[in-house]
Amino acid sequence: MTASGRSFPRILRLALSDIVARLYLALCAVLLVGALAVTVADSSDESMAGVIPLLATAPVSLVLLALPDNGAMLVVAVVIGAIVNATIIGCCARALRRGGGSTDMAS
């Protein structure tokens, strides 16, 4: 349990159930599938299509890109980066919808 009384899986489920987070995950999935399709179809090994999903899931995917050099690591970095970013997006969207906080930035 966390300090607020909510478990991590519950927070993750609530964050990823938000429509904005799901749209972000769908966009990342489309970008990843498109990049993989272009990379498979390109036989010259000069494809830069993998950069777009990495940038869409930055900064987490860029940190994970330091893992061993392998084609599967690109997919792992993008998937984990998308999930982390979608969780943050979902939590922020829920907090903005909930409101209730003061608008005074000084306090």
Side-chain angles (χ1 to χ4, degrees):
M1 291 293 223
T2 60
S4 65
R6 290 188 178 169
S7 65
F8 179 72
R10 178 174 163 80
I11 292 171
L12 190 64
R13 186 177 66 240
L14 286 173
L16 293 179
S17 66
D18 189 71
I19 187 69
V20 179
R22 287 187 179 190
L23 287 173
Y24 174 76
L25 282 176
L27 174 69
C28 291
V30 167
L31 290 174
L32 182 61
V33 168
L36 290 175
V38 167
T39 303
V40 168
D42 186 19
S43 63
S44 66
D45 291 337
E46 297 174 358
S47 177
M48 294 293 291
V51 172
I52 295 172
L54 280 173
L55 291 177
T57 57
V60 176
S61 63
L62 295 177
V63 171
L64 293 175
L65 195 60
L67 294 173
D69 189 23
N70 188 348
M73 286 300 131
L74 172 76
V75 174
V76 169
V78 170
V79 168
I80 292 175
I83 290 173
V84 169
N85 288 345
T87 303
I88 293 169
I89 290 169
C91 288
C92 290
R94 286 180 51 82
L96 287 173
R97 280 194 202 103
R98 197 172 342 136
S102 70
T103 57
D104 185 18
M105 296 297 280
S107 61

